[in-house]
Amino acid sequence: MQRILLPFIGLMLSSLTASAQLRILSGTPIGSPSVDYSSGSVSTTVNQPADAFDNDYSTFYASYNRSYTWVGLDLGTKHVIKRIMYSPRKGWGNRMVLGIFEGANQPDFSDAIPIHIIKKAPTEGVMSTTPVNCSRGFRYVRYVGPEDARCNVSELRFYGTEGEGDDSQLYQLTNLPVVVIHTQDAKQVTSRSTYVDGWISVISEDGRGFFTDTLQIRGRGNGSWEVSNNLAYGGTIWHKRPYRLKLAHKARMLDMPAKDKNWVLINNLGDKTLIRNLVAFEASRRFDMKYTPAGRLVDVILNGEYQGNYQLCDKIEVGTNRVEITKMTNTDNRSPEVTGGYLIEIDAYANSEPVHFTSTYGNPINVKYPKHDDITTSQLNYLRNAFNNMETKLYASYYTNPTTGYASVLDVDAFLKNFLIGEFSGNTDTYWSTYMSKDRGTNEKFTCCAVWDFDLAFENDGRTYPINGNSNYMSLSNKSSAAGNMKSFVGRVVNSQTERIKELYNYARNYRGFTPEVMEAYVDSLAKVINQSQELNFMRWPILNIRVQQNFQALGSYQAEVDFMKKYIRERFAWLDNKIGYEPMIDGIHNAMTQMAGSILSGEGQIQLVGFTAGCRYQIFTLDGKLLMQNEVTPGTCDIDVRPGFYIVKVSGSQGQKRQQKLLVK
Ligand code: CA
């Protein structure tokens, strides 16, 4: 009997103990300066922090400042908070919407993390109650009012138990990770050039993952920065700013591949789906771009205020798991050292950057690496000459010659893949801003190394709508924008690579899941995972009914925006299929040519072409579409020695018949 009873009694005792310890927590009221509404000045007598803890609904705390203002308690010792109760100033319940409760152990709240966000207006004259699911103990707790609300809290209660607690369970605002940043003295981040010191905490994995560091933060971006400073509506300027983060220590943020100090928070203010960049990145992966920027959807809190949904993302820079090219020092001034690596951005805004030049054919080049304070004159001269040399070859009469024309200095496949991703997404900005790298080595070519910036893509720009209404490629049409003379540059490459474009496109369509079904399913999966966060985001920034940036419509709901993008994707595949000449594969056999005699087989260390007639030619490609070898097929049996691996084998007949197969050679 005792064996059964003892655990039962133990359970009763522990639950009694717990409830006995859960009590209203008392402490010293703390908060930012109060306002006297009658005079509009700072007050030390009315609307004080203590007024939020006096059991009187008619008195309230109100702050003098309109931003980053708060009221709370110094509990004296650490407590694990289990429950919060709150009530708004009478008549002003809406001012507490998106207010955030935080706990901290530093008196300046630099280490504060959220424990609750208010998602709907609380009823006045009663206490609203919420449980708190955060196991860390805090000495300091506070309520931070949303921007421009002056807090306006009539009553606050914190319930909990004394103790250190632990980090086994922290709080996320939604299912997405939350990035929490506090700046020194809650200084606002309003500059793109001056960093502000601060602290970052990231809570992920449903509250079980925690990362923290010190950092520097500043603004970033061009178009996205401007729109975040000029979106005025309803008497308010809506500063959903894009940020650059520089951690004190290298880290793999949210398990992204690069271990690095430099990250960016993309605001996606003009993109009401909030996911256009990530959908384009998925296309980049399906085209097997060597590098695709990593990005994660997150909620962001800055100095206790909810800032909305952002994309935490790689900064495009030279580094492991980013643009992987040879790093340079300022002593690398002779060949071969001086030949690379370089990272440039063909950039319409290049002339506002510290190191830039204009190429022979009028393209503005922003030199990103080596960095402006590291690059030497010899390096800059080499880079400028190399780029100009590429243009010379591109504009020469022999430009299509594979050994002397542009293909000898430009990575054609990477250029065409970048082009196709731009065309698929219908990105106005593909050649407004184009990243290229040039690695070390006299034979190393300029390479499109990273796709970037798709907030105006996927039919989100009135200047290019309707994208599918053009007969020509978007990048070559007169509707799209381009830095300098890039449109001419692109035209000469693209118009001389019709066959290769077709091969790369068909390869992605047939072998890499680059299909309407897969891409639409990807959109749906992102829309599902972002759902809670987009609701909060559009409470914070109620723009679903107004046009932002280059929007030519406002569809009024998040789902309508997503559905519109999916419709565009479906129609764009149809347009591209027709334009490029999509040839679907059926069971690995080219459907246009099923009558062609012969078989493509794999042998040990060999590809065997059996039963083809005279006059056929074969081409063997790697899985990423690189042509390895080509020759005439020996009629009867033709054995081709290759190393083990996967290959794409194409055989074409003298009448234009084709057969294509993917196979594994052991
Ligand atoms: Ca009160």
Side-chain angles (χ1 to χ4, degrees):
M1 284 300 278
Q2 278 185 337
R3 277 186 179 181
I4 299 163
L5 273 175
L6 273 175
F8 181 64
I9 291 167
L11 188 68
M12 283 180 64
L13 282 173
S14 68
S15 70
L16 277 171
T17 313
S19 68
Q21 285 176 351
L22 182 64
R23 56 186 175 83
I24 299 178
L25 302 179
S26 58
T28 308
I30 49 178
S32 38
S34 299
V35 68
D36 182 344
Y37 277 108
S38 61
S39 65
S41 52
V42 176
S43 171
T44 54
T45 52
V46 298
N47 306 335
Q48 298 298 298
D51 289 321
F53 301 95
D54 65 353
N55 294 313
D56 181 350
Y57 289 123
S58 70
T59 60
F60 59 91
Y61 165 76
S63 62
Y64 174 70
N65 290 311
R66 294 179 173 274
S67 196
Y68 305 117
T69 59
W70 56 277
V71 56
L73 289 176
D74 173 357
L75 301 171
T77 56
K78 288 186 185 181
H79 288 73
V80 176
I81 308 301
K82 301 285 191 184
R83 184 192 300 162
I84 300 167
M85 297 176 91
Y86 52 92
S87 187
R89 175 187 173 195
K90 279 191 176 175
W92 298 99
N94 57 329
R95 288 190 175 173
M96 291 188 77
V97 177
L98 299 181
I100 286 181
F101 290 89
E102 288 185 324
N105 288 305
Q106 296 297 325
D108 62 0
F109 284 85
S110 56
D111 64 336
I113 56 172
I115 55 176
H116 183 64
I117 185 168
I118 298 175
K119 297 182 182 177
K120 64 177 174 84
T123 310
E124 63 189 60
V126 296
M127 296 301 277
S128 294
T129 303
T130 185
V132 171
N133 190 20
C134 177
S135 61
R136 185 186 289 186
F138 302 110
R139 174 171 166 180
Y140 305 95
V141 289
R142 69 177 181 180
Y143 166 79
V144 185
E147 187 176 11
D148 213 25
R150 288 184 149 165
C151 283
N152 280 234
V153 182
S154 81
E155 284 300 304
L156 292 176
R157 304 257 193 293
F158 295 90
Y159 291 77
T161 57
E162 187 165 12
E164 291 274 334
D166 57 43
D167 278 358
S168 60
Q169 180 62 58
L170 304 178
Y171 172 74
Q172 293 178 192
L173 310 185
T174 69
N175 56 306
L176 293 183
V178 57
V179 173
V180 183
I181 295 168
H182 291 277
T183 59
Q184 188 113 46
D185 303 321
K187 195 172 174 189
Q188 294 202 34
V189 185
T190 55
S191 162
R192 274 185 298 173
S193 51
T194 310
Y195 276 108
V196 175
D197 292 329
W199 297 261
I200 183 171
S201 303
V202 182
I203 298 162
S204 60
E205 296 163 53
D206 289 324
R208 293 184 293 275
F210 182 70
F211 164 83
T212 190
D213 198 1
T214 55
L215 90 169
Q216 293 185 298
I217 178 173
R218 63 167 171 82
R220 63 161 296 281
N222 291 307
S224 62
W225 176 259
E226 283 160 26
V227 72
S228 76
N229 284 304
N230 293 298
L231 180 60
Y233 189 77
T236 312
I237 303 251
W238 284 338
H239 293 299
K240 189 192 185 188
R241 293 187 172 103
Y243 297 110
R244 162 92 186 272
L245 311 180
K246 194 175 186 176
L247 304 178
H249 307 91
K250 290 183 176 183
R252 288 181 63 222
M253 299 280 278
L254 296 174
D255 286 330
M256 285 187 272
K259 186 175 183 183
D260 209 287
K261 291 179 181 177
N262 297 314
W263 300 86
V264 295
L265 281 169
I266 294 175
N267 57 346
N268 290 323
L269 185 56
D271 168 17
K272 289 168 190 163
T273 70
L274 305 165
I275 58 175
R276 281 179 162 84
N277 279 305
L278 293 184
V279 174
F281 291 176
E282 179 67 10
S284 169
R285 283 188 286 273
R286 293 190 180 275
F287 272 101
D288 296 307
M289 288 289 278
K290 189 179 167 209
Y291 162 67
T292 296
R296 299 275 189 274
L297 297 167
V298 296
D299 288 303
V300 171
I301 299 173
L302 179 59
N303 290 325
E305 288 184 1
Y306 179 62
Q307 296 297 319
N309 179 275
Y310 279 72
Q311 181 186 323
L312 180 65
C313 198
D314 276 354
K315 176 179 183 287
I316 306 299
E317 63 176 6
V318 175
T320 306
N321 288 316
R322 288 187 176 164
V323 179
E324 292 191 348
I325 55 175
T326 305
K327 292 210 172 183
M328 293 194 103
T329 67
N330 59 12
T331 56
D332 294 335
N333 292 312
R334 290 179 176 199
S335 189
E337 290 82 9
V338 77
T339 62
Y342 296 99
L343 175 63
I344 60 172
E345 184 185 3
I346 303 164
D347 176 8
Y349 299 103
N351 62 12
S352 61
E353 299 292 336
V355 181
H356 63 92
F357 63 87
T358 303
S359 70
T360 309
Y361 284 81
N363 290 309
I365 311 299
N366 170 5
V367 182
K368 311 283 282 190
Y369 183 87
K371 288 174 187 165
H372 67 90
D373 40 8
D374 294 333
I375 193 166
T376 67
T377 309
S378 306
Q379 291 166 356
L380 185 57
N381 285 340
Y382 173 85
L383 176 63
R384 186 193 285 117
N385 289 338
F387 194 90
N388 287 339
N389 178 46
M390 172 170 65
E391 288 186 336
T392 301
K393 288 176 181 296
L394 181 65
Y395 286 93
S397 57
Y398 53 86
Y399 75 116
T400 57
N401 185 311
T403 49
T404 56
Y406 67 81
S408 62
V409 287
L410 175 70
D411 179 338
V412 173
D413 277 6
F415 190 89
L416 296 178
K417 289 176 183 180
N418 187 75
F419 168 78
L420 285 166
I421 296 157
E423 286 300 318
F424 162 69
S425 61
N427 191 11
T428 320
D429 284 344
T430 306
Y431 299 104
W432 187 254
S433 158
T434 310
Y435 284 99
M436 280 195 190
S437 62
K438 157 82 178 73
D439 206 350
R440 182 169 298 181
T442 48
N443 292 321
E444 288 294 331
K445 302 174 181 182
F446 280 94
T447 302
C448 287
C449 56
V451 300
W452 192 244
D453 206 357
F454 293 87
D455 55 340
L456 300 182
F458 297 99
E459 205 73 290
N460 193 30
D461 187 335
R463 298 169 301 180
T464 51
Y465 173 80
I467 291 165
N468 291 315
N470 291 324
S471 57
N472 201 356
Y473 289 117
M474 180 178 170
S475 299
L476 303 181
S477 83
N478 57 13
K479 286 180 168 182
S480 66
S481 57
N485 286 315
M486 278 309 285
K487 205 170 284 189
S488 151
F489 186 118
V490 177
R492 284 182 79 81
V493 177
V494 166
N495 291 329
S496 57
Q497 293 288 346
T498 313
E499 269 308 300
R500 190 64 187 143
I501 287 172
K502 189 172 171 179
E503 286 166 356
L504 292 170
Y505 182 76
N506 275 296
Y507 178 73
R509 288 286 270 118
N510 287 320
Y511 295 109
R512 296 288 291 123
F514 183 61
T515 69
E517 297 74 25
V518 167
M519 294 307 291
E520 284 187 59
Y522 187 69
V523 170
D524 284 336
S525 69
L526 289 177
K528 191 174 173 189
V529 82
I530 204 176
N531 192 47
Q532 292 176 36
S533 180
Q534 66 82 11
E535 283 183 14
L536 288 183
N537 181 77
F538 292 111
M539 286 167 69
R540 179 70 179 87
W541 313 107
I543 56 173
L544 285 168
N545 285 303
I546 64 168
R547 297 182 194 180
V548 177
Q549 212 162 353
Q550 302 294 345
N551 294 167
F552 59 93
Q553 60 181 3
L555 294 170
S557 79
Y558 181 75
Q559 190 59 48
E561 294 284 348
V562 169
D563 289 344
F564 182 79
M565 179 166 64
K566 284 168 62 184
K567 177 170 173 284
Y568 163 80
I569 288 174
R570 232 168 13 249
E571 292 172 356
R572 192 60 178 166
F573 267 110
W575 189 96
L576 286 168
D577 285 357
N578 177 60
K579 174 78 178 173
I580 295 170
Y582 171 45
E583 295 170 351
M585 301 295 288
I586 298 169
D587 298 332
I589 295 173
H590 205 283
N591 76 334
M593 268 322 308
T594 47
Q595 303 100 322
M596 190 179 186
S599 305
I600 302 170
L601 305 168
S602 71
E604 285 248 343
Q606 286 187 330
I607 293 168
Q608 299 171 332
L609 308 177
V610 183
F612 288 97
T613 52
C616 294
R617 286 187 67 81
Y618 69 84
Q619 292 178 299
I620 299 172
F621 298 88
T622 60
L623 276 199
D624 60 4
K626 276 219 166 64
L627 179 62
L628 287 179
M629 52 183 96
Q630 56 181 335
N631 211 333
E632 283 189 19
V633 180
T634 313
T637 301
C638 176
D639 294 339
I640 305 149
D641 291 341
V642 292
R643 281 193 275 180
F646 279 99
Y647 296 91
I648 310 275
V649 182
K650 268 189 190 178
V651 179
S652 31
S654 53
Q655 316 292 314
Q657 319 98 302
K658 283 180 186 168
R659 176 163 299 170
Q660 179 174 323
Q661 196 153 320
K662 172 177 155 184
L663 48 78
L664 173 64
V665 174
K666 289 183 178 168

